[in-house]
């Protein structure tokens, strides 16, 4: 491959131009060659072969430390299609009735639960009882009490419980966190997280209280909650929240359409966030300190994530979030690697406590003190 110098010289650029040309984009486009991985491979079965499960399966094709080896589904035809697509042997395929037998399968290390939210708790409890590591999609449960039950069950079974917080491995997000930790933004004063989209089909599970656990807050608002914690580096001590519902037919009792919420942090910093199922173009984080700022848009979508700070554009590499997440989870499971921002069950319970507090604040109209 041509070196950068050869490339620029072919373009007829002078030595001066070589010095002036920004290195950052070049660095972002150039892959560092790492020695081939020869550690253990995390062998994963996906439970719930839906839209996001399909995305995770595709992303795992590029993993070096994790591999899709098993399937769990209530739909036999999906199992057949996925088996052919990913070369999964019959002995690693289960349905929802018989998958407890996975405990006798030495070729599967972990089960990744990617079903509607309301089913996460029961499936994870069964994964733990089968002695397999559990990876679970967000929101990990529909309230903090259920989330804590999952944490306790996995601890008791001596298996890990990890949550699909893919942004915790995203390079531009990690750079903003690094800058905040090193004081580049000074004292943090304010965070703003705006997360939402216009939801379609009114019959889908995301608008069913039983299966979703709530509405936009459970699905997309959780990114603003989680982001307000990792961007500021603090845990909220109080919550206020207000709900707006323009379509009570589509968004029934217990299914929130739009909620604005505010957090207060011990340092005096505040957060102001919006979660909605009724507006597009909302995928934005803003972090403000007394010496600088970071702005990300898109901030939590599948990418590419874009952002800038008071020092200029963020140029960290664009990654496939789920590929990096699964490789990092292999390191967490096998080598106890500590990610910069945790992705374990305890981390998820903190978000669930805040969701509980937001719903309580909406209901009572009062400021809710929290300790998480
Ligand atoms: P989906 O509807 O596309 O897929 C859900 C799957 O669960 C389907 O295969 C469905 O057959 C199965 N299922 C099992 N029991 C079911 C039941 N009783 N009712 C309905 N479906 C049932 O949904 P999705 O978008 O794949 O979301 C699944 C989970 O993944 C959710 O928890 C969601 O929050 C999460 N998710 C995370 C991300 C992310 O970026 N981390 C993105 C999308 C979805």
């Amino acid at each position: 491959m041509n070196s950068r110098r050869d490339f620029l010289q072919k373009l007829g650029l002078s030595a001066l131009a070589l010095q002036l040309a920004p290195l950052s984009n070049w660095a972002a486009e150039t892959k560092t060659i790492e020695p081939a991985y020869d550690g253990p491979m995390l062998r994963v079965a996906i439970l719930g072969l839906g839209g996001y499960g399909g995305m995770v399966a595709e992303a795992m094709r590029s993993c070096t430390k994790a591999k899709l080896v098993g399937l769990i589904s209530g739909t036999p035809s999906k199992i057949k299609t996925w088996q052919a697509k990913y070369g999964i042997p019959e002995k690693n395929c289960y349905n929802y009735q018989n998958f407890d037998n996975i405990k006798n399968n030495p070729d599967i290390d972990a089960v990744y639960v990617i079903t509607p939210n309301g089913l996460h708790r029961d499936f994870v409890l069964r994964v733990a009882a089968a002695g397999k590591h559990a990876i679970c999609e967000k929101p990990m449960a529909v309230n903090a009490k259920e989330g804590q039950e999952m944490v306790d069950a996995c601890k008791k079974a001596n298996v890990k419980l990890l949550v699909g917080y893919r942004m915790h491995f995203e390079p531009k997000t990690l750079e903003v966190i690094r800058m905040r930790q090193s004081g580049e933004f000074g004292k943090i004063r304010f965070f703003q997280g705006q997360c939402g989209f216009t939801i379609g089909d009114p019959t889908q599970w995301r608008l069913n209280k039983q299966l979703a656990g709530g509405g936009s807050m459970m699905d997309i608002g959780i990114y603003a909650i989680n982001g307000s914690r990792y961007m500021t580096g603090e845990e909220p001590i109080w919550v206020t929240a207000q709900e707006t519902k323009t379509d009570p037919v589509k968004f029934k009792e217990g299914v929130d359409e739009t909620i604005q919420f505010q957090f207060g942090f011990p340092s005096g910093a505040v957060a102001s966030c919006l979660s909605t199922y009724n507006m597009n173009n909302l995928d934005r984080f803003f972090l403000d300190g007394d010496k600088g700022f970071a702005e990300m848009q898109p901030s939590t979508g599948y990418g590419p994530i874009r952002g800038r700070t008071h020092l200029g554009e963020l140029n960290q590499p664009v990654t496939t979030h789920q590929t990096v997440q699964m490789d990092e989870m292999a390191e967490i499971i096998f080598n106890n690697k500590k990610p910069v921002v945790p992705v374990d069950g305890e981390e998820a319970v903190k978000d669930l406590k805040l969701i509980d507090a937001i719903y309580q604040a909406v209901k009572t109209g009062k400021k809710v003190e929290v300790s998480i």
Side-chain angles (χ1 to χ4, degrees), residues 50-52 78 115 117 120 137-138 166 205-206 223 302:
Y52 194 62
K78 275 199 222 166
T115 60
N117 314 333
H120 291 175
E137 255 320 309
K138 45 59 51 181
R166 59 188 165 75
W205 68 258
R206 280 182 165 81
Y223 286 97
Y302 299 134

Side-chain angles (χ1 to χ4, degrees), residues 47-55 73-75 78 96 112-117 119-120 123 137-139 164-166 205-206 211 218-219 223 300 302 322 325:
L47 186 158
L49 311 182
Y52 194 62
M55 190 172 268
S73 171
T75 315
K78 275 199 222 166
Y96 296 140
Y112 194 161
V113 175
I114 319 187
T115 60
N117 314 333
L119 309 174
H120 291 175
F123 280 132
E137 255 320 309
K138 45 59 51 181
Y165 285 128
R166 59 188 165 75
W205 68 258
R206 280 182 165 81
L211 287 170
M218 286 286 168
D219 192 32
Y223 286 97
T300 65
Y302 299 134
Q322 299 82 2
Q325 173 199 310

Side-chain angles (χ1 to χ4, degrees), residues 2-42:
N2 287 334
S3 71
R4 174 172 178 265
R5 182 172 292 268
D6 291 343
F7 175 68
L8 290 175
Q9 277 173 349
K10 268 191 195 147
L11 291 178
L13 295 179
S14 67
L16 179 64
L18 280 175
Q19 283 167 27
L20 293 179
L23 275 167
S24 46
N25 283 338
W26 178 263
E29 287 160 13
T30 309
K31 279 194 177 160
T32 40
I33 298 166
E34 287 179 10
Y37 176 73
D38 64 355
M41 191 61 78
L42 180 66

Side-chain angles (χ1 to χ4, degrees), residues 24-296:
S24 46
N25 283 338
W26 178 263
E29 287 160 13
T30 309
K31 279 194 177 160
T32 40
I33 298 166
E34 287 179 10
Y37 176 73
D38 64 355
M41 191 61 78
L42 180 66
R43 298 162 306 171
V44 179
I46 292 185
L47 186 158
L49 311 182
Y52 194 62
M55 190 172 268
V56 170
E58 279 305 299
M60 284 186 74
R61 288 184 191 274
S62 308
C63 283
T64 52
K65 301 172 187 174
K67 191 174 178 348
L68 176 63
V69 301
L71 305 171
I72 304 161
S73 171
T75 315
S77 60
K78 275 199 222 166
I79 295 254
K80 285 278 162 266
T81 313
W82 280 54
Q83 266 189 288
K85 201 168 173 190
Y86 299 105
I88 310 292
E90 191 66 34
K91 70 173 188 59
N92 287 358
C93 295
Y94 299 87
N95 59 40
Y96 296 140
Q97 285 71 45
N98 69 12
F99 97 86
D100 308 274
N101 295 333
I102 208 165
K103 67 172 179 290
N104 302 317
N105 190 331
D107 299 328
I108 294 174
D109 302 306
V111 176
Y112 194 161
V113 175
I114 319 187
T115 60
N117 314 333
L119 309 174
H120 291 175
R121 191 259 317 252
D122 288 358
F123 280 132
V124 165
L125 295 189
R126 286 171 66 185
V127 172
K132 302 294 178 185
H133 299 294
I135 304 173
C136 182
E137 255 320 309
K138 45 59 51 181
M140 186 176 82
V142 296
N143 56 50
K145 184 175 164 288
E146 289 199 357
Q148 190 59 48
E149 280 173 44
M150 295 159 82
V151 168
D152 294 343
C154 289
K155 206 169 270 175
K156 195 168 158 217
N158 201 22
V159 295
K160 289 221 162 70
L161 171 57
L162 304 179
V163 180
Y165 285 128
R166 59 188 165 75
M167 299 316 296
H168 294 197
F169 306 105
E170 195 283 315
K172 293 183 182 74
T173 304
L174 291 175
E175 173 60 9
V176 172
I177 293 169
R178 186 202 64 74
M179 288 178 70
R180 189 252 302 148
Q181 285 171 336
S182 67
E184 305 246 17
F185 304 125
K187 190 170 160 45
I188 299 298
R189 305 280 190 191
F190 178 66
F191 172 77
Q192 187 177 41
Q194 298 166 329
C195 298
F197 60 94
T198 305
I199 199 157
D201 178 10
T203 65
Q204 65 186 288
W205 68 258
R206 280 182 165 81
L207 297 173
N208 172 323
K209 161 88 172 139
Q210 204 63 28
L211 287 170
S216 76
M217 186 60 62
M218 286 286 168
D219 192 32
I220 192 81
I222 190 170
Y223 286 97
I225 294 173
N226 192 244
S228 75
R229 298 175 47 238
Y230 64 67
M231 294 291 268
T232 64
E234 293 192 72
E235 300 296 3
I237 52 173
W238 58 256
V239 176
T240 50
Q242 310 79 37
E243 180 172 15
T244 312
K245 197 173 282 207
T246 63
D247 186 347
V249 177
K250 189 169 184 179
F251 304 99
K252 300 197 170 53
E253 179 69 28
V255 179
D256 49 284
E257 177 186 319
T258 301
I259 292 181
Q260 296 183 70
F261 60 95
Q262 301 78 36
F263 291 154
F265 299 95
S267 68
V270 289
S272 172
C273 302
L274 180 76
S275 165
T276 185
Y277 264 161
N278 195 25
M279 292 170 226
N280 279 326
N281 313 309
L282 284 176
D283 183 358
R284 183 173 177 273
F285 280 3
F286 181 70
L287 182 70
D288 201 25
D290 59 12
K291 290 193 187 143
F293 70 90
E295 185 176 43
M296 307 185 76

